[in-house]
Amino acid sequence: MLRRNPRRPDASDDDALEQIAETETLVASRAFPKFLASLGGREHLTIVDAGPIVGSNVDFFAARSACKIYVEDLFSEIERQARAGTREKLAAILPPRLRQADGSVDAVLCWDIFDFLDRATAQAFARELVRVMRPGGSLFGLFANAQGEQRQYTKFVIADETHFRHRTRPATPVPRQVLPNRDIIRLFDGLLVSDSFLLLTHTREIVFRKR
């Protein structure tokens, strides 16, 4: 079952982004197999996906178990605020988008959303993610390890258990938040790092588990 947040204040922004041609590369993941293994044996899963809807990703998880997938498409909101020059508003906008009950979510796919957030927004949003996760739940995230500007969004398409197709499109440039490991861990107070890998793409993949 797929559930998408119905609130789209300015659909024209999203439509314009979708009309931009995407480029695609195939990238191996070391942490994603660990994330999937942590979900093994559960017959019913509740999943929160912070990225845009990718139909094949929904199919991938549906083929593994009965599940509810809530796709929030928070990157559309990030782009709106970046274009308007009001990124500071995200600290108040993003956390309420997670309306799931406390301890009700088995798995969270953050992708690279924290690279686009200022520190205050990252802290507020991470608290909400920890809140909605159930004990034993898992979170998969990608975190930049190199300074610079974010100039593109990446849609992560699951190719198989060990590979993603990265489909990129231009973004309104914003400063990239690069957090050292200790600060990433502090963001997710209440979660434990179960696996962490630094890739040649200057990206750190991390799987967290809730105590």
Side-chain angles (χ1 to χ4, degrees):
M1 179 184 298
L2 169 65
R3 300 188 179 184
R4 184 179 184 181
N5 190 322
R7 292 184 293 169
R8 298 178 66 190
D10 186 352
S12 62
D13 287 350
D14 300 341
D15 295 340
L17 282 174
E18 291 299 330
Q19 291 172 9
I20 299 174
E22 296 177 335
T23 60
E24 180 176 294
T25 56
L26 186 67
V27 179
S29 171
R30 298 181 63 187
F32 191 61
K34 305 289 187 180
F35 173 75
L36 294 176
S38 73
L39 305 178
R42 303 186 193 187
E43 295 184 357
H44 302 279
L45 293 174
T46 299
I47 301 172
V48 168
D49 186 338
I53 289 179
V54 178
S56 59
N57 288 0
V58 175
D59 294 340
F60 177 87
F61 284 103
R64 299 176 67 88
S65 68
C67 61
K68 294 180 181 178
I69 303 180
Y70 296 88
V71 183
E72 294 298 335
D73 193 10
L74 300 178
F75 289 92
S76 293
E77 187 63 55
I78 290 170
E79 173 62 23
R80 272 191 288 273
Q81 301 305 327
R83 190 180 298 138
T86 53
R87 292 177 67 236
E88 71 279 359
K89 292 184 178 180
L90 291 171
I93 293 172
L94 294 192
R97 293 281 295 269
L98 296 175
R99 298 186 299 279
Q100 289 75 22
D102 294 3
S104 63
V105 174
D106 297 287
V108 176
L109 294 161
C110 285
W111 306 117
D112 61 345
I113 191 170
F114 282 91
D115 293 354
F116 291 86
L117 306 181
D118 61 84
R119 189 172 292 268
T121 303
Q123 291 171 339
F125 187 58
R127 281 195 298 269
E128 284 298 286
L129 291 174
V130 174
R131 176 188 67 79
V132 303
M133 291 176 63
R134 70 173 77 247
S138 298
L139 180 149
F140 174 80
L142 303 168
F143 303 87
N145 197 52
Q147 298 288 343
E149 280 192 328
Q150 288 284 32
R151 294 179 173 271
Q152 64 184 26
Y153 296 112
T154 301
K155 185 183 293 183
F156 298 89
V157 182
I158 302 170
D160 55 40
E161 293 189 357
T162 58
H163 293 85
F164 299 132
R165 291 189 178 92
H166 288 194
R167 294 178 182 167
T168 62
R169 66 181 186 220
T172 299
V174 296
R176 178 186 292 127
Q177 177 174 232
V178 178
L179 297 171
N181 276 355
R182 64 179 181 276
D183 288 350
I184 295 174
I185 294 169
R186 286 171 184 164
L187 273 183
F188 297 97
D189 185 32
L191 305 185
L192 298 173
V193 175
S194 64
D195 296 279
S196 178
F197 301 95
L198 181 60
L199 307 182
L200 294 177
T201 56
H202 301 293
T203 299
R204 185 170 296 282
E205 295 186 321
I206 301 180
V207 179
F208 291 90
R209 297 289 300 276
K210 190 167 186 179
R211 298 182 178 93

